[in-house]
Amino acid sequence: MSHDRIPLLIDTDPGVDDALALLMAFDDMQSDSGRHQVVGLTIAAGNVGLAHTVANALKLCEVCGVDVPVFAGTDAPLVFPARDAAYVHGRDGFGDTGYAPAARAAEAEHAALAILRLSHAHAGKLLLVALGPLTNLALALKLDPTLPSRVARCVVMGAAVTAHGNITPAAEFNIAFDPEAAHIVFSAFPKVELADWEAVLAHGFRHDDAERWLAADSPRARFYAGISAHTRAWARAGRGERWHAADALAMALALQPEGALDMLERPLAVETAGQHARGATIVDWNRQTGAADNVAILMHYDQGRFEAMIERALAAS
């Protein structure tokens, strides 16, 4: 790896949203002017089951011609079962297009162990981006609580900071899938950069623009147009003229943090019980508890920069 590149480890559960974020990361890695080197993909169950999320990660690497190691991780939340998001992403997570499986297989090493090993290999420099449920990270932290000391930045797509949830009235999907894991992660890291669901809703892009970007003459655009067709139709029917790609926003924050125009630091706690609020992320907006600020919440990202990153990633050859 080039010494001036930032090592990037992505924990993910691909999913159509995750795929777009991964295209952005791969585009940066393969660009002469890029700043990052993807050192691994650690995979969890979430959007769909683990067999599918691993297969999807491997296929995306193949489509993009990147030789990034893929590590299979947890196939279920730490404690309680959770429902997936196949109704959004398709039963296989990639729109049920029936794609030919990738030739390459996942590594033998478990994702949680890979996270720890790579944190040592790139100690003090590692950019850790979590795009799915936080189960793999929680397991890694239980094995080695010193993990955060070796991570330069931890960026998470998750939470609904004023409890406007997308999977329950109060909770966002990634956190609600495994609240216990989220509790472990937010309690362990001194500062998590957070792209939450409410920021995602504020940074939607027009379906008409997305259609134009997907018309690019590139294998990536063609593949992504196919796997996202189901999701885009679902979004257009239910959410109107704008499409919201949650993991892409988190990846934009990770790759180009200078695009963040407003970040707000506050204490955040995860509700693990509660009849109505399990999985809710409770932000202490008025700092009433005396708890330390443990999240930097993305409030506003440069929309033009965000959309340009997506367009470029889809058009990459």
Side-chain angles (χ1 to χ4, degrees):
M1 183 179 115
S2 171
H3 290 298
D4 55 355
R5 292 236 170 185
I6 297 167
L8 171 57
L9 174 59
I10 306 170
D11 190 73
T12 177
D13 62 332
V16 171
D17 266 18
D18 306 73
L20 188 55
L22 292 174
L23 288 177
M24 293 162 67
F26 294 161
D27 175 52
D28 182 85
M29 178 174 75
Q30 293 175 306
S31 167
D32 290 340
S33 59
R35 309 177 199 171
H36 302 82
Q37 180 75 28
V38 182
V39 296
L41 304 179
T42 53
I43 311 299
N47 284 318
V48 288
L50 185 67
H52 287 309
T53 55
V54 170
N56 291 346
L58 290 165
K59 184 62 178 182
L60 203 63
C61 289
E62 185 174 86
V63 168
C64 296
V66 298
D67 189 22
V68 171
V70 173
F71 304 93
T74 54
D75 65 354
L78 291 178
V79 183
F80 297 105
R83 68 181 175 119
D84 65 21
Y87 64 96
V88 178
H89 298 268
R91 289 183 303 279
D92 71 350
F94 267 13
D96 297 320
T97 58
Y99 68 77
R104 182 160 62 95
E107 309 298 313
E109 186 178 22
H110 189 281
L113 298 176
I115 290 168
L116 294 177
R117 178 177 56 78
L118 290 165
S119 77
H120 283 284
H122 305 287
K125 298 178 181 178
L126 189 67
L127 169 53
L128 177 57
V129 179
L131 303 176
L134 295 168
T135 320
N136 287 333
L137 265 64
L139 277 181
L141 285 161
K142 282 299 180 187
L143 289 169
D144 181 0
T146 70
L147 168 63
S149 69
R150 296 184 297 278
V151 175
R153 292 174 64 208
C154 178
V155 178
V156 168
M157 189 285 124
V161 297
T162 65
H164 287 62
N166 67 348
I167 190 72
T168 76
E172 177 274 332
F173 176 85
N174 285 341
I175 308 301
F177 190 88
D178 195 344
E180 285 75 20
H183 165 73
I184 289 168
V185 172
F186 284 108
S187 300
F189 278 87
K191 188 62 55 70
V192 169
E193 296 174 48
L194 192 64
D196 88 307
W197 177 245
E198 295 171 47
V200 171
L201 290 178
H203 293 83
F205 42 88
R206 294 180 62 84
H207 280 283
D208 292 349
D209 290 331
E211 299 287 345
R212 180 167 48 80
W213 304 336
L214 288 167
D217 185 20
S218 79
R220 298 178 193 209
R222 284 190 289 275
F223 182 75
Y224 195 77
I227 67 169
S228 65
H230 172 90
T231 303
R232 286 182 288 118
W234 176 86
R236 195 188 281 267
R239 294 210 177 108
E241 67 181 26
R242 290 192 177 267
W243 182 24
H244 303 92
D247 298 320
L249 182 63
M251 188 57 73
L253 174 62
L255 296 175
Q256 296 187 19
E258 65 274 21
L261 304 177
D262 187 16
M263 303 280 291
L264 207 58
E265 298 193 1
R266 286 294 187 276
L268 178 147
V270 179
E271 178 59 73
T272 55
Q275 182 179 350
H276 301 292
R278 175 170 159 79
T281 39
I282 310 303
V283 176
D284 184 5
W285 294 107
N286 299 319
R287 296 193 173 105
Q288 293 164 297
T289 62
D293 294 348
N294 63 338
V295 291
I297 304 163
L298 176 64
M299 306 301 290
H300 187 200
Y301 194 88
D302 181 327
Q303 185 73 16
R305 180 189 289 262
F306 176 39
E307 294 185 11
M309 293 170 74
I310 295 173
E311 182 176 11
R312 191 175 62 243
L314 287 168
S317 57

